[in-house]
Amino acid sequence: MANRIFHDVQALNPGIKIIAGTFKPNGSGAVDNTANVGNGFTVARTGTGQYTVTLDDVYPGLISAQATAALNSAAATFMQITGAHDVSSAKTIVFTALSTGDTAAPAAADIAAHAHNHVHFVLFLRNTSLTK
């Protein structure tokens, strides 16, 4: 067992909040937020393969973010955090689906609407002005 003082979610940092969720991409159409799994966020398709997660609340900082595309069939698709994230005023973070397809250079690509296509994500947020 670790010999440290942990706060809230067994974190070395105080005031850690976790928002985890799943949404269903809809090709070039809008994300249906009533199908989201998780609380504290909504999602909008804001460009080709681009999904903007808007948080319900503001946070002083983002510690870490991960997103994974779960697809019905194997594809060379991965998620990347793109652009500037702003969890302290605009309350947004952008994930972009990138596909390598037949080339080595990844390009933004929509994820087709399918019952088994989802994007899973987890955000670790700082809910205090303390940075350590």
Side-chain angles (χ1 to χ4, degrees):
M1 184 181 312
N3 187 19
R4 295 180 181 261
I5 296 173
F6 288 95
H7 300 276
D8 298 327
V9 293
Q10 299 295 308
L12 291 174
N13 301 67
I16 300 296
K17 302 300 178 194
I18 299 171
I19 295 180
T22 300
F23 62 91
K24 294 174 69 173
N26 189 23
S28 61
V31 173
D32 177 6
N33 282 291
T34 63
N36 292 353
V37 176
N39 295 311
F41 69 94
T42 57
V43 182
R45 179 185 175 274
T46 51
T48 301
Q50 189 175 65
Y51 304 95
T52 299
V53 175
T54 302
L55 304 175
D56 290 352
D57 300 297
V58 297
Y59 296 89
L62 175 70
I63 293 174
S64 180
Q66 295 84 35
T68 303
L71 306 175
N72 183 56
S73 58
T77 301
F78 60 96
M79 302 302 293
Q80 180 175 319
I81 300 168
T82 53
H85 57 274
D86 179 3
V87 297
S88 61
S89 59
K91 307 182 293 186
T92 58
I93 185 164
V94 178
F95 295 112
T96 301
L98 298 169
S99 177
T100 57
D102 295 329
T103 67
D110 284 323
I111 298 174
H114 189 281
H116 301 296
N117 287 350
H118 298 84
V119 174
H120 304 282
F121 71 91
V122 62
L123 306 175
F124 293 87
L125 300 148
R126 185 169 42 85
N127 198 34
T128 176
S129 60
L130 300 174
T131 58
K132 294 188 180 205

